[in-house]
Amino acid sequence: MTKFEVEKAANLLRSGGLVAFPTETVYGLGADAKNPDAIRKVFQVKRRPQNHPLIVHLAKIDHIFQWVCNISPEAEMLANAFWPGPMTLIFKKQAHVLDIITGGQDTVALRIPRHPLAQALLTAFGGGIVGPSANVFTRISPTSLQAVREEMGNKIDLILDGGDCEVGLESTIIDISGDDRVPVILRPGMIGRTVIENVIKMTVVDNANSNHNHNNTEVRAPGMHRVHYAPKTKVMLVERQTMAKTITKMLNTNDRVAILAIGERSHNDRCYKALKEVHNNIHIINMPQTAKEYARDLYQTLRSIDQQDYQCIVIEKVPEDESWTAIRDRLLKASASI
Ligand code: TXA
Ligand code: MG
């Protein structure tokens, strides 16, 4: 990617255009965070309801002072530990931050991505760039140039090509805007709870397992929509051990079924052998065994299955340990469509 293209992208943003850009998590749909008309276009192109607030992306930690009211010691520790990187923090906002960004709330979500091209764009542009994931509302976030093309078609002005995203799942969102200073994880990501707690030396609340709402307001947490991050093909989450039984019960033997299995040896696994015997038309896809690699590949794999003619995606349940939390969250949301 040339300097010329980054300049062109920054100029498009200055003139109110929409530019998709890579981050290490997923691709974002960028617009000037000071331009309400451009931001309105983001909502239109994504077909996203207006009350879903947007993340403002910035180049450097120093820039956050222009957007937020106060920075608690915990916020400072988190920022220093994980920025630039796959983390978003929610702060009390300054008065100038547009309502269309925050959904009328008194908080704003900020992120400093580390992808070199995101950094180059933010530096060339100089200001904040709103960046929801560059997909149509409720669909899977794009993690490659091709995926952004599929989602956005020719409705946007430019896509910067940063290759495949390294993390592959959306950033960890931590709300640190509460007066009680208790950090709340609103959306799990690949920066997990334990590393966060080790940095700030206090317990954080995981929103998925609690109703903690420290601002006494309705927090518009991501993925509250029942169907979120969902492929078009129906998704079932099943334990490996009960796979053959469940599939026999739930699916027609002529349905074309894609199975996301964990690990290389799954073809020799007793459960999968049994499955081949009961069903004619299954295709087993071996997903990586580590959470990091599984996360990186998940959306690309679901997207590619979606483009083939399958009636169902059966996903083997992933391990219960903390490193898989964000993946479990996305899989649950993907399977909520049935
Ligand atoms: O990894 C990511 O975070 C990607 C890349 C492009 O940065 N962005 C992303 O944006 O996932 P989006 O808009 O698809 O998801 C951001 C979520 C939204 O679901 C929204 O509800 C939540 O962040 N959010 C934004 N501002 C908020 C606020 N002030 N309070 C609570 N939630 C907020
Ligand atoms: Mg999104």
Side-chain angles (χ1 to χ4, degrees), residues 17 94 117 160-161 191 205 226 241 253 291:
Q94 284 184 22
L117 205 45
L160 289 177
D161 182 5
I191 296 179
V205 175
R226 201 173 65 89
Q241 286 74 11
T253 43

Side-chain angles (χ1 to χ4, degrees), residues 40-292:
R40 255 188 290 279
K41 279 195 281 176
V42 168
F43 281 93
Q44 279 162 12
V45 168
K46 273 186 66 81
R47 291 187 243 134
R48 173 165 167 145
Q50 291 268 349
N51 62 357
H52 279 242
L54 304 177
I55 298 172
V56 177
H57 296 71
L58 302 169
K60 286 200 208 134
I61 294 184
D62 297 356
H63 297 177
I64 69 177
F65 300 98
Q66 295 159 30
W67 296 83
V68 312
C69 287
N70 85 313
I71 297 166
S72 65
E74 293 75 33
E76 198 177 325
M77 287 187 265
L78 289 170
N80 287 328
F82 300 119
W83 275 342
M87 173 184 76
T88 297
L89 292 178
I90 311 253
F91 295 90
K92 282 260 161 52
K93 75 175 185 83
Q94 284 184 22
H96 69 82
V97 183
L98 299 170
D99 276 345
I100 190 169
I101 293 180
T102 65
Q105 300 183 90
D106 63 353
T107 55
V108 64
L110 299 181
R111 173 163 178 230
I112 299 173
R114 70 165 177 247
H115 193 292
L117 205 45
Q119 276 289 326
L121 177 65
L122 286 160
T123 305
F125 181 65
I129 301 178
V130 294
S133 50
N135 54 280
V136 173
F137 184 59
T138 76
R139 302 263 304 119
I140 299 171
S141 297
T143 55
S144 68
L145 173 78
Q146 183 53 29
V148 180
R149 285 214 182 103
E150 283 157 23
E151 290 293 317
M152 296 289 120
N154 51 14
K155 294 196 219 81
I156 60 178
D157 298 293
L158 183 73
I159 308 173
L160 289 177
D161 182 5
D164 293 348
C165 300
E166 170 201 337
V167 177
L169 292 185
E170 303 81 357
S171 60
T172 306
I173 302 183
I174 311 167
D175 187 351
I176 35 130
S177 67
D179 296 330
D180 59 7
R181 285 179 44 189
V182 176
V184 181
I185 299 177
L186 295 185
R187 177 176 69 187
M190 295 310 281
I191 296 179
R193 184 197 175 121
T194 304
V195 280
I196 294 170
E197 290 181 339
N198 286 344
V199 164
I200 55 179
K201 308 268 184 292
M202 67 190 276
T203 309
V204 304
V205 175
D206 193 339
N207 205 43
N209 306 317
S210 100
N211 293 317
H212 187 94
N213 184 346
H214 53 205
N215 284 327
N216 258 342
T217 55
E218 183 201 346
V219 178
R220 285 168 193 131
M224 295 221 307
H225 217 254
R226 201 173 65 89
V227 184
H228 216 89
Y229 314 106
K232 292 176 197 142
T233 316
K234 100 174 151 181
V235 175
M236 282 166 53
L237 274 182
V238 181
E239 301 275 358
R240 176 180 285 212
Q241 286 74 11
T242 56
M243 189 108 16
K245 219 157 116 200
T246 312
I247 291 186
T248 323
K249 236 192 323 191
M250 309 232 355
L251 298 172
N252 194 317
T253 43
N254 291 321
D255 286 349
R256 290 192 72 233
V257 180
I259 297 185
L260 260 58
I262 303 172
E264 281 298 319
R265 288 190 306 279
S266 45
H267 279 279
N268 298 323
D269 186 290
R270 206 163 38 85
C271 302
Y272 285 104
K273 277 197 172 145
L275 194 58
K276 289 247 178 194
E277 283 160 23
V278 298
H279 202 94
N280 315 327
N281 239 339
I282 61 171
H283 177 201
I284 298 177
I285 296 160
N286 291 305
M287 292 295 285
Q289 236 157 347
T290 67
K292 194 171 168 210

Side-chain angles (χ1 to χ4, degrees), residues 306-323:
D306 238 2
Q307 283 159 356
Q308 301 165 51
D309 188 24
Y310 286 105
Q311 275 74 48
C312 186
I313 309 175
V314 176
I315 304 183
E316 179 182 327
K317 281 198 179 160
V318 300
E320 288 296 320
D321 24 310
E322 192 195 292
S323 59

